[in-house]
Amino acid sequence: LPGVTKDYNSILKTMVIDANERHNITSFLFTLRNPINRAVSAFNMHHIDNTLRWPKRFMAKQHLRETFYHDCFPTIERLAMILGRQQNATYINKIGKNREAHDCYSLGVRAITGIGGHVFQGGPHLLYNYHTYYHETIEHFPKTEVLAIRTEYLWEDVNDLNLALGGNEQDINDKIQKHVNTFGSELKPVHSGLTREGKVILCCYLSQENKIYEDILRRAVNLDKLEKERYLRDGLYSDCGVIPDDGKNGDPRGVFGAAEERETIEQDNE
């Protein structure tokens, strides 16, 4: 989109850019989505029953996917219940001599947090999470301007940002705004979702992701402060069952950032 990029250095994959070149970057543009919804979408997208036709070079890793999706977590709700210790499941290695049963819990923790996870167990979108991109961008350049586009309001945010950067309304016409690419997800056999309890459980395990998501959103200069608070309140905060302490003005650290700071203080005082 010319209006979004004409006065800004844009990157598709920051991680492949030389560290010295990053100092020339004037802005970071993130696409944001409620971390819980992002996790559900990633889980379903890479579900073994939704992606049967994998390239032959990946077939040697098929047992990892079978273990994750068939033996342990056939649905995202099942994953949440096992993480919440409401249910139990075990798996047995399909290769090698070790045939002992293993608890699925640790497998689920690694997948949902992206820490020590595997690209074939949960998919690359869980492994390459917000922390991955935050580490390569804002963490090293905290003073660099941040722009954000929310996937739930994709074309509204793109259009507003385009206009703010000198574009015109014809750049994002009605035809473009009606464009949707679902990658055929509506035809896939697995469309698992989460109950209210499942969302709260995943929220706990996604606490680091939630904190980074909050931070990126609050840094975004192209979104109104009150709109940011409404978006968080009606989305992530509602799913997690949390209420901001400060009403409509919110805590500048965010709900999850403030919680992490309190935990650190409490640990230091023990």
Side-chain angles (χ1 to χ4, degrees), residues 8 40 51 73 83 116 129 134 136 150 160 206 212 255:
Y8 286 74
V40 172
T51 54
F73 314 114
L83 291 177
N129 52 22
Y134 188 90
E136 296 294 336
R150 301 164 295 172
D160 290 344
L206 290 168
I212 293 172
V255 167

Side-chain angles (χ1 to χ4, degrees), residues 55-75:
K56 291 183 178 180
R57 67 181 183 276
F58 293 145
M59 293 310 293
K61 303 294 185 180
Q62 189 75 351
H63 67 281
L64 296 175
R65 303 177 70 228
E66 290 175 352
T67 293
F68 187 83
Y69 287 109
H70 286 165
D71 299 344
C72 290
F73 314 114
T75 67

Side-chain angles (χ1 to χ4, degrees), residues 30-42:
F30 291 90
T31 54
L32 293 179
R33 186 179 188 180
N34 180 329
I36 297 174
N37 294 339
R38 184 179 185 275
V40 172
S41 177

Side-chain angles (χ1 to χ4, degrees), residues 177-194:
Q177 294 189 38
K178 291 178 181 178
H179 175 73
V180 176
N181 190 345
T182 64
F183 297 96
S185 61
E186 68 276 8
L187 303 176
K188 303 294 185 181
V190 178
H191 296 90
S192 64
L194 288 169

Side-chain angles (χ1 to χ4, degrees), residues 73-128:
F73 314 114
T75 67
I76 189 72
E77 179 70 11
R78 172 80 164 167
L79 170 59
M81 291 300 105
I82 289 175
L83 291 177
R85 294 301 196 182
Q86 304 298 313
Q87 299 177 15
N88 297 297
T90 59
Y91 68 94
I92 297 175
N93 287 331
K94 292 180 170 58
I95 61 172
K97 297 181 179 180
N98 184 1
R99 296 295 178 176
E100 295 180 0
H102 301 274
D103 191 348
C104 290
Y105 173 81
S106 59
L107 195 64
V109 172
R110 292 196 300 271
I112 203 67
T113 61
I115 301 173
H118 197 289
V119 69
F120 294 103
Q121 296 181 317
H125 289 87
L126 289 181
L127 184 61
Y128 301 113

